[in-house]
């Protein structure tokens, strides 16, 4: 998970987790910001798990706000998964 969060998912995580994100309604932005910028005294694996959890919450919340008709496809590598 650590390798994925710090590699392929890094840009997506930083795009979704920001001051206006859903997670910031429950968790102080200062903590989230430190987590994003690796300024917390936690292991890299624990940091990756926390970022994955916040990212998953953001993706879930977005899926609840968008009508299913707008969620027609999700890019996955070179293919497309239809929803």
């Amino acid at each position: 998970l650590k390798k994925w969060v710090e590699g392929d998912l890094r840009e997506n995580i930083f795009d979704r987790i920001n001051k206006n994100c859903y997670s910031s309604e429950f968790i102080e932005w200062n903590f989230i910001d430190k987590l994003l910028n690796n300024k917390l005294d936690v292991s890299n694996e624990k940091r990756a798990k926390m970022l994955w959890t916040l990212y998953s919450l953001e993706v879930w919340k977005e899926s609840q706000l968008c009508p299913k008709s707008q969620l027609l496809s999700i890019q996955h590598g070179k293919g497309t998964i239809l929803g």
Side-chain angles (χ1 to χ4, degrees):
L1 182 63
K2 177 182 147 313
K3 186 176 178 181
W4 196 30
V5 165
E6 292 176 356
D8 293 340
L9 276 181
R10 187 177 194 284
E11 187 175 333
N12 288 325
I13 288 171
F14 274 76
D15 286 345
R16 287 190 190 262
I17 302 175
N18 56 58
K19 277 192 171 185
N20 300 316
C21 69
Y22 183 62
S23 301
S24 67
E25 292 182 25
F26 309 101
I27 302 168
E28 290 184 29
W29 173 249
N30 189 41
F31 178 84
I32 295 171
D33 186 51
K34 287 179 180 179
L35 180 64
L36 286 169
N37 293 296
N38 205 10
K39 302 288 185 191
L40 293 177
D41 188 22
V42 296
S43 71
N44 289 333
E45 191 62 37
K46 185 168 186 166
R47 176 180 175 266
K49 289 176 183 177
M50 289 190 283
L51 286 172
W52 172 253
T53 301
L54 294 178
Y55 176 74
S56 298
L57 178 63
E58 297 303 323
V59 171
W60 171 82
K61 182 61 175 177
E62 183 178 316
S63 75
Q64 299 304 302
L65 295 175
C66 295
K68 191 168 183 165
S69 62
Q70 290 181 359
L71 297 174
L72 293 178
S73 67
I74 299 171
Q75 292 297 86
H76 181 71
K78 294 182 181 176
T80 300
I81 301 170
L82 298 178

